[in-house]
């Protein structure tokens, strides 16, 4: 419908809440943006999540958009920031994993117990890392930084119910693969690390 429209015209329509203009922007830029994200992350599901988050943010903030460069530049700049945030979260995840491994190294267990604990903790952390990005972020803030549901909702600009739902879904996913004992062992180890 709006394929022949310029980016400036589409932005004007988008600010007015025109869904067809949004769809045209999505059709025009989603594929090259996805390939760009994929080239920086090498993870297909993660790339899809970042792309979805980018366009969800574009729609949510459409009325307040204040773009001083081209739409293309704005989208690529936004996606660069999202990729940087992704790497920061990944570094935080690795930091927790390293602290947990160091904790087990410092404990006077026999070698096979230490190996079992470290292997199980690494396995659980890897499972957490495979959760969808937003769910993983919420879960980590809840379990690793001990933020309340209200604090997480405020920090991420989400409803408290959304935060509760995401934590419940994360726990359900993790419980299908790990016993309550595995998760409690991980929580106990993390509490000792503080």
């Amino acid at each position: 419908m709006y394929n022949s429209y310029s980016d400036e015209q589409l932005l004007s329509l988008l600010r007015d809440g025109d869904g067809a203009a949004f769809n045209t922007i999505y059709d025009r830029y989603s594929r090259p943006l996805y390939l760009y994200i994929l080239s920086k992350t090498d993870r297909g599901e993660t790339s899809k999540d970042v792309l979805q988050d980018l366009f969800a943010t574009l729609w949510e903030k459409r009325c307040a958009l204040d773009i001083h460069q081209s739409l293309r530049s704005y989208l690529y700049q936004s996606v660069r920031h999202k990729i940087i945030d992704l790497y920061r979260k990944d570094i935080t995840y690795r930091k927790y994993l390293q602290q947990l491994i160091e904790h087990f190294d410092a404990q006077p267990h026999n070698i096979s117990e230490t190996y079992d604990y470290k292997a199980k903790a690494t396995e659980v952390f890897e499972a957490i890392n495979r959760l969808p990005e937003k769910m993983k972020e919420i879960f980590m803030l809840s379990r690793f930084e001990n933020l309340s549901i209200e604090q997480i909702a405020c920090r991420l600009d989400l409803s408290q119910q959304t935060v509760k739902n995401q934590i419940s879904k994360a726990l359900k996913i993790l419980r299908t693969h790990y016993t309550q004992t595995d998760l409690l062992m991980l929580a106990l180890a993390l509490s000792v690390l503080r």
Side-chain angles (χ1 to χ4, degrees), residues 11-26:
L11 270 174
S12 178
L13 292 166
L14 178 65
R15 285 186 188 106
D16 293 335
D18 190 315
F22 174 82
N23 290 338
T24 303
I25 292 169
Y26 182 85

Side-chain angles (χ1 to χ4, degrees), residues 158-173:
L158 298 169
S159 73
Q160 289 185 28
Q161 189 60 49
T162 299
V163 172
K164 286 179 193 175
N165 292 345
Q166 291 293 302
I167 292 171
S168 294
K169 287 178 186 175
L171 286 170
K172 186 176 181 182
I173 290 168

Side-chain angles (χ1 to χ4, degrees), residues 58-189:
L58 182 68
W59 178 255
E60 289 166 4
K61 297 186 176 183
R62 67 189 177 278
C63 298
L65 283 176
D66 187 25
I67 299 176
H68 299 289
Q69 70 264 40
S70 70
L71 175 61
R72 182 182 187 284
S73 296
Y74 172 81
L75 291 172
Y76 276 91
Q77 183 77 15
S78 297
V79 91
R80 276 192 285 277
H81 289 296
K82 290 189 181 298
I83 291 169
I84 290 168
D85 286 345
L86 184 70
Y87 282 123
R88 280 189 189 129
K89 290 174 195 162
D90 201 38
I91 288 168
T92 301
Y93 158 78
R94 289 172 202 254
K95 179 186 82 172
Y96 285 124
L97 180 58
Q98 185 58 40
Q99 286 176 338
L100 187 60
I101 289 169
E102 288 169 6
H103 167 72
F104 286 128
D105 285 344
Q107 298 302 311
H109 298 295
N110 70 42
I111 292 172
S112 66
E113 281 181 16
T114 300
Y115 175 78
D116 289 343
Y117 281 131
K118 286 168 68 173
K120 184 59 76 176
T122 301
E123 197 178 307
V124 173
F125 264 112
E126 289 299 327
I128 292 168
N129 202 35
R130 286 190 300 271
L131 293 172
E133 283 304 315
K134 190 58 77 175
M135 185 183 294
K136 177 175 83 171
E137 180 179 16
I138 291 169
F139 186 79
M140 289 179 74
L141 289 172
S142 167
R143 295 307 190 256
F144 301 149
E145 294 186 27
N146 283 337
L147 295 184
S148 69
I149 289 173
E150 185 178 348
Q151 290 170 319
I152 296 168
C154 185
R155 181 185 282 192
L156 300 179
D157 195 26
L158 298 169
S159 73
Q160 289 185 28
Q161 189 60 49
T162 299
V163 172
K164 286 179 193 175
N165 292 345
Q166 291 293 302
I167 292 171
S168 294
K169 287 178 186 175
L171 286 170
K172 186 176 181 182
I173 290 168
L174 293 172
R175 284 182 185 136
T176 61
H177 300 291
Y178 301 98
T179 66
Q180 191 67 25
T181 307
D182 295 334
L183 297 174
L184 286 173
M185 179 271 303
L186 184 63
L188 176 65

